[in-house]
């Protein structure tokens, strides 16, 4: 793997996918890692968890990326920055439906600022956290990277569509700049050690933390958002993928850029397992691996939800030599291990 001493900047390093990616970077490469995170939706404790797993300390810059002046000041001091992995963004579909301006401001202003920094500091390698939500409701499944985007189903999804265009156009304008857009399907699960995982503030929006918190008795009951969709059991279909597999793909994408293996200035990859799983099947897997009944009920549909989506991942497997290692049961058991760990930690 990589063997240098330059620095990779990770925005949103205390977040769910950012922290798992830092763990893989520290374990698989010799790069220095600097995180930027203002803990607006995360906790500083994450860095203790990363240290417990890797034995390494990570420097975090507590800066709001929407504040260009503060960002310039902080990143100007980083030694030999050669790449940025940009995770920091808001990511709740329902919250974005209720407060679109929050999403347009935070997700777009921060991206523009971070690209300004790339230009100013001549940072040539950039990875952008995109989402399968860019595809919207599609006619043909599974989706390939060439599938045409439909209308975004939520402002969150729209910020990802816009973000991809911004990165692509910026890349075209800068001859030395290279970028990768990673379209995540549904990242779930926790580090296999059980020491790091998703840490939602307040009531979670996403399915898996909602399941584990219900099983732990923190929440009373899970509501399945609709069982009258045109799918095999009526509930929505998603491509759940283990967060450590997603993190590993980032290290490979970084290698790909730094070692100049990319064929285009901007490369796009679907990060999914290729398997569509319904909400009821996900619950079934959780109940099986944890040997407990989950308290759930069927409720109305959730606004902004895509009915069914899963990835064709042939291209990423070939180009990045990447294969997801974990299956649905692994995702559910690791998520539960993390939930139990959190209880013990308190
Ligand atoms: C969406 C995006 C995904 C993005 C993620 C960030 C799509 C297709 N995907 O994921 O790219 O990374 O937001 O948050 O838009 N559900 C319930 N009950 C609950 C919670 C969820 O039934 O309490 C159902 C949802 O209706 C959905 C599935 O579980 O069918 C997954 O939902 P969630 O975990 O919120 O992720 P997405 O909305 O699919």
């Amino acid at each position: 793997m990589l063997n240098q001493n330059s620095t990779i900047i990770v925005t949103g390093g205390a977040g769910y996918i950012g922290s798992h990616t830092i763990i893989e970077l520290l374990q698989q490469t010799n790069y220095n890692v600097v995180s930027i995170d203002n803990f607006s939706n995360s906790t500083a404790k994450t860095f203790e968890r990363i240290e417990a797993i890797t034995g390494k300390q990570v420097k975090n810059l507590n800066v709001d990326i929407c504040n260009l002046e503060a960002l310039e000041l902080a990143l100007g001091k980083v030694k030999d920055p050669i790449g940025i992995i940009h995770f920091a963004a808001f990511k709740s579909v329902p919250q974005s439906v209720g407060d679109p301006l929050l999403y347009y401001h935070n997700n777009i202003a921060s991206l523009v600022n971070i690209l300004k920094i790339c230009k100013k500091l001549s940072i040539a390698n950039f990875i952008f956290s995109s989402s399968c939500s860019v595809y919207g409701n599609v006619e043909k499944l599974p989706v390939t990277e060439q599938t045409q985007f439909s209308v975004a189903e939520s402002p969150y999804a729209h910020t990802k569509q816009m973000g991809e265009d911004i990165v692509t156009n910026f890349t075209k304008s800068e001859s030395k700049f290279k970028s990768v857009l990673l379209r995540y399907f549904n990242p779930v699960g926790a580090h296999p050690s059980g020491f790091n995982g998703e840490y939602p503030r307040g009531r979670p929006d996403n399915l898996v933390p909602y399941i584990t918190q219900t099983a732990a008795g923190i929440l009373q009951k899970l509501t399945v958002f609709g069982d009258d969709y045109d799918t095999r059991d009526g509930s929505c279909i998603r491509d759940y993928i283990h967060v450590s597999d997603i993190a590993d793909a980032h290290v490979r994408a970084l290698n790909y850029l730094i070692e100049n293996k990319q064929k285009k200035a901007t490369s796009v990859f679907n990060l999914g397992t290729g398997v569509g799983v319904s909400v009821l099947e996900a619950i079934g897997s959780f109940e099986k691996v944890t040997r407990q009944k989950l308290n759930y009920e069927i409720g109305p549909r959730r606004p902004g939800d895509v009915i069914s989506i899963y990835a064709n991942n042939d291209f990423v497997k070939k180009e990045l030599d990447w294969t997801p290692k974990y299956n649905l049961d692994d995702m559910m058991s690791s998520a539960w291990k993390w939930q139990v760990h959190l209880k013990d930690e308190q």
Side-chain angles (χ1 to χ4, degrees):
M1 285 279 164
L2 304 175
N3 247 328
Q4 295 153 35
N5 259 314
S6 302
T7 301
I8 304 301
I9 296 165
V10 176
T11 76
Y16 177 42
I17 308 176
S19 60
H20 285 87
T21 299
I22 289 179
I23 292 167
E24 295 304 318
L25 283 169
L26 295 176
Q27 290 182 333
Q28 295 189 37
T29 80
N30 287 325
Y31 282 108
N32 298 314
V33 175
V34 169
S35 160
I36 315 175
D37 201 304
N38 67 347
F39 308 120
S40 68
N41 193 24
S42 60
T43 162
K45 213 170 163 32
T46 302
F47 295 107
E48 290 169 30
R49 296 176 178 141
I50 292 174
E51 193 179 344
I53 293 168
T54 65
K56 294 181 184 166
Q57 282 187 344
V58 174
K59 184 181 169 67
N60 181 64
L61 308 169
N62 187 338
V63 173
D64 179 358
I65 302 172
C66 291
N67 180 341
L68 183 61
E69 223 174 293
L71 191 65
E72 273 184 17
L73 198 67
L75 289 185
K77 293 182 194 138
V78 171
K79 276 199 208 117
D80 192 20
I82 60 160
I84 298 191
I85 309 182
H86 180 49
F87 293 102
F90 291 156
K91 55 135 220 170
S92 160
V93 170
Q95 190 186 29
S96 79
V97 172
D99 193 351
L101 294 185
L102 180 72
Y103 275 67
Y104 287 115
H105 176 73
N106 187 68
N107 291 5
I108 302 300
S110 58
L111 174 61
V112 171
N113 281 352
I114 212 82
L115 291 174
K116 283 182 179 169
I117 294 287
C118 287
K119 190 172 168 120
K120 184 153 189 180
L121 302 181
S122 302
I123 301 173
N125 304 294
F126 189 79
I127 299 178
F128 177 64
S129 294
S130 188
S131 157
C132 70
S133 61
V134 294
Y135 294 112
N137 274 309
V138 295
E139 304 254 299
K140 198 164 161 260
L141 290 168
V143 287
T144 73
E145 289 81 357
Q146 278 70 47
T147 299
Q148 283 286 315
F149 293 178
S150 302
V151 174
E153 290 292 308
S154 66
Y156 160 75
H158 193 208
T159 66
K160 293 298 176 185
Q161 290 181 342
M162 291 167 74
E164 288 201 2
D165 284 345
I166 291 168
V167 175
T168 305
N169 289 334
F170 176 73
T171 307
K172 279 187 203 152
S173 75
E174 293 288 311
S175 59
K176 295 211 173 97
F177 189 76
K178 297 166 286 171
S179 52
V180 166
L181 312 175
L182 295 178
R183 292 182 184 150
Y184 312 150
F185 281 67
N186 283 60
V188 298
H191 190 268
S193 64
F195 290 166
N196 191 44
E198 192 164 3
Y199 194 72
R201 281 219 175 154
R203 213 180 168 84
D205 285 325
N206 294 113
L207 179 65
V208 174
Y210 215 104
I211 290 177
T212 56
Q213 289 195 16
T214 304
I218 301 164
L219 297 168
Q220 226 200 336
K221 193 185 268 185
L222 170 81
T223 302
V224 174
F225 297 137
D227 72 343
D228 55 353
Y229 287 104
D230 184 16
T231 60
R232 54 183 173 264
D233 60 20
S235 63
C236 290
I237 306 257
R238 294 288 186 273
D239 185 336
Y240 297 96
I241 172 158
H242 195 286
V243 65
S244 296
D245 279 327
I246 293 258
D248 178 54
H250 285 76
V251 178
R252 288 167 194 269
L254 193 68
N255 287 338
Y256 186 76
L257 287 176
I258 291 172
E259 293 166 11
N260 265 313
K261 290 190 177 147
Q262 84 285 351
K263 300 185 176 86
K264 289 182 179 170
T266 300
S267 307
V268 188
F269 299 113
N270 277 343
L271 292 188
T273 61
V275 181
V277 170
S278 75
V279 177
L280 293 171
E281 288 163 352
I283 294 170
S285 164
F286 179 83
E287 289 184 326
K288 183 182 80 184
V289 297
T290 64
R291 298 203 189 106
Q292 57 183 314
K293 274 308 288 162
L294 188 74
N295 189 18
Y296 71 90
E297 65 183 1
I298 307 295
R301 294 178 175 194
R302 180 175 70 173
D305 256 341
V306 164
I307 301 163
S308 186
I309 193 152
Y310 52 96
N312 174 317
N313 59 11
D314 293 347
F315 185 56
V316 60
K317 279 179 160 170
K318 186 170 141 272
E319 279 299 287
L320 299 187
D321 189 23
W322 169 84
T323 312
K325 287 203 290 266
Y326 301 99
N327 64 26
L328 183 65
D329 290 349
D330 300 327
M331 299 175 210
M332 292 299 169
S333 55
S334 61
W336 182 239
K337 196 169 172 186
W338 162 241
Q339 186 70 57
V340 171
H341 172 79
L342 269 179
K343 199 169 168 219
D344 294 345
E345 212 183 58
Q346 277 147 16

